[in-house]
Structures are given as structure tokens and as C-alpha cells.
Amino acid sequence: MLQVSDVTKSFGGLTAVDGVSFSVDHGEIVGLIGPNGAGKTTLFNTISGIYKPDHGEIRFNDQDITGMRTSAICHAGLVRTFQIVRTFDESTVFENVLTGATFGSGETRSRDAAEQQATEVLEFLGLDQQRDQHTSELPIAQRKLVELARGVACDPDLLMIDEMGAGLTPAELDQLVETIERIRSERDISVLWIEHVMEAILGSTDRILVLHKGSLIARGTPEQIKSDDEVIEAYLGDAV
Ligand SMILES: Nc1ncnc2c1ncn2[C@@H]1O[C@H](COP(=O)(O)OP(=O)(O)OP(=O)(O)O)[C@@H](O)[C@H]1O
Ligand SMILES: [Mg+2]
């Protein structure tokens, strides 16, 4: 579904993403982990069209999307959320999600169809009680959920999530893992998920990619990653 080939992105003298190659298959939940500053968000920004890579190719559903506009990439079915939440805070929860439903993947939907889709997604993610609240009134964890809902309402083939777990209680974390699993199983959306909270990522992904100083230093199942010496040294440390 997604094929990233030898992608490099530098800022001046700093190579934030350095010759990264990987793929995500239809139906997978893939984790992307690595220390602060490893280049994870830069990689997302490069895949989603915010930056053009200096080198390399990004293909999605057999289409070359390298350097395409973010809106065109979204229409093609590749949607992302942001590490620093970017809800539309002058708007209600419903209007935020309606934006995704209207302008998401595929053709622009009619108002009726988009409203139906937004309503259904709010129920799916348990946000119907907050429907008419402004997102500025919500705590951060719920604003993140609104952003996830806006992404799901786009009806993408692949949803890239840039950190959702920070600051959640253990119960909220369990719920997040269950939600992401339901996004895959009930909506047929594949997921590429950046996360620092190890319990979440180790327990919910099919495969994990480990980025360190811009390069992928390991990839494998959660079990393989947990016992990889280089990963433990670079990142996991005492967490496992
Ligand atoms: N727009 C930019 N201009 C200059 N340097 C940047 C820019 N964006 C990121 N960087 C640098 O690129 C490196 C990778 O940053 P990035 O945000 O991709 O890391 P990350 O893995 O997402 O980290 P974190 O886990 O803290 O979110 C860092 O050294 C960062 O300072
Ligand atoms: Mg980041």
C-alpha cells in the first residue's frame, strides 16, 4: 500500500531522515518508534507532502505521490494526525469531523452524505456527547480524539498517527489501543503509528520500525524489537 524508498530529508546541515525505506501492507498496524529527534515526524511530514524529500520516492496505492500537495495526498487516501494537536478550535467537534468527511479521500461529499458520515464517526469513537462543544473547551486527550475522528471521517486507506498516548491514564491507553484495532478491523483502515508509550505500541502492532538519528536501525515483530540489543541501547533501555 505504502512504499517508501530511500527517502532523505535534510534541514541545512542536519539530515533528519537519512535513506529510509519501508513499506506498509493493506490491513497492517505498523509502529514507528525512536528517541526524541530521531526524525519520525519529519518522515511523516515528508510522506504526507508537507516537505518534499531531497531524495527518494514515495508510492501509495501504486501511484507516485512524491512531492504531491498535501490535499492531493489526502484525496488519494493517505491521511495523518499531528503530534501537536491541530483541531479547528473555533469550530465544534461535529464541524471538525465534518471537514474530514466532506474533503477527505475520494470525491468531495455532498453536505448530506458528509453529515451522515461525521455523525457515524462520532458515534464510532464515542464522541457524540461532545458533538456541539467547541474543541477549545476540551481537554487535550479529547482534542486528540477529535483529530483522530477527523482523520477517520476522511475514510482513508492509510491513517498515519503521530503520537496519541502521551498523558493518558492506563485505562485511556487501553481504550486507545482498542480504538486503533477497531479502526483497522471495522473500517478497513491500515495504520502507521508513531508512539512513545511502549505498552501501547508493543501490544497493538503487527510490526515495528525503529528510527534512530534519521535511519531505520531495526524492524520486526514487537517480540523481536523488545529483544534487539541495538534498540534497547538506543531507545528502550529500562522500558523492557
Ligand atoms: N523544520 C525544521 N527545520 C529545521 N530542523 C528541523 C525541522 N523539523 C525538524 N527538525 C530537526 O530534525 C530532527 C528530527 O526532528 P523530528 O521532529 O522529526 O523528530 P521526532 O522523531 O519526531 O522527535 P519527537 O519524538 O521528539 O517528536 C531534529 O533534530 C529536529 O530539530
Ligand atoms: Mg515527533
Side-chain angles (χ1 to χ4, degrees):
M1 176 176 274
L2 175 70
Q3 195 155 19
V4 174
S5 307
D6 203 16
V7 162
T8 294
K9 173 68 194 166
S10 302
F11 302 106
L14 175 88
T15 305
V17 173
D18 193 359
V20 167
S21 302
F22 69 94
S23 59
V24 178
D25 291 333
H26 174 231
E28 278 193 304
I29 300 177
V30 176
L32 177 59
I33 65 172
N36 293 120
K40 305 179 297 296
T41 297
T42 303
L43 184 58
F44 267 29
N45 286 339
T46 309
I47 294 170
S48 63
I50 290 179
Y51 302 137
K52 210 179 168 133
D54 303 321
H55 180 81
E57 186 187 56
I58 301 152
R59 297 186 70 82
F60 182 66
N61 283 339
D62 293 325
Q63 184 186 5
D64 185 354
I65 62 163
T66 322
M68 260 168 55
R69 286 166 52 213
T70 51
S71 54
I73 291 172
C74 172
H75 287 308
L78 204 173
V79 167
R80 54 87 59 92
T81 66
F82 291 88
Q83 181 168 3
I84 297 165
V85 73
R86 289 199 190 175
T87 39
F88 307 131
D89 288 336
E90 326 71 48
S91 304
T92 65
V93 169
F94 180 69
E95 288 163 344
N96 268 267
V97 178
L98 186 63
T99 310
T102 305
F103 301 108
S105 75
E107 301 283 300
T108 300
R109 285 189 189 78
S110 70
R111 181 82 189 195
D112 276 359
E115 283 187 354
Q116 218 175 341
Q117 164 93 342
T119 302
E120 194 263 320
V121 169
L122 286 181
E123 274 169 35
F124 178 76
L125 290 175
L127 279 168
D128 26 353
Q129 299 293 314
Q130 286 77 29
R131 177 189 169 105
D132 296 321
Q133 270 180 276
H134 281 80
T135 50
S136 55
E137 301 167 54
L138 299 177
I140 184 71
Q142 269 187 348
R143 285 169 65 212
K144 288 214 143 201
L145 198 57
V146 172
E147 207 178 63
L148 189 67
R150 189 176 64 194
V152 168
C154 290
D155 196 21
D157 294 320
L158 178 64
L159 183 59
M160 304 202 301
I161 300 169
D162 195 349
E163 289 201 36
M164 290 277 300
L168 299 189
T169 65
E172 288 170 334
L173 216 51
D174 285 348
Q175 200 169 8
L176 173 64
V177 166
E178 194 194 303
T179 299
I180 289 176
E181 177 52 47
R182 283 175 57 231
I183 287 173
R184 183 230 325 246
S185 61
E186 294 176 30
R187 310 193 78 94
D188 196 26
I189 298 172
S190 310
V191 176
L192 179 59
W193 184 10
I194 296 175
E195 188 58 80
H196 278 294
V197 181
M198 279 305 113
E199 306 91 284
I201 210 89
L202 291 171
S204 62
T205 53
D206 302 306
R207 279 194 301 130
I208 295 177
L209 309 164
V210 186
L211 197 63
H212 182 48
K213 296 182 179 166
S215 302
L216 284 178
I217 58 164
R219 61 187 81 208
T221 62
E223 283 309 313
Q224 288 167 335
I225 293 302
K226 264 196 285 192
S227 52
D228 185 300
D229 289 341
E230 204 179 346
V231 177
I232 292 170
E233 186 170 338
Y235 183 49
L236 291 177
D238 294 339
V240 293

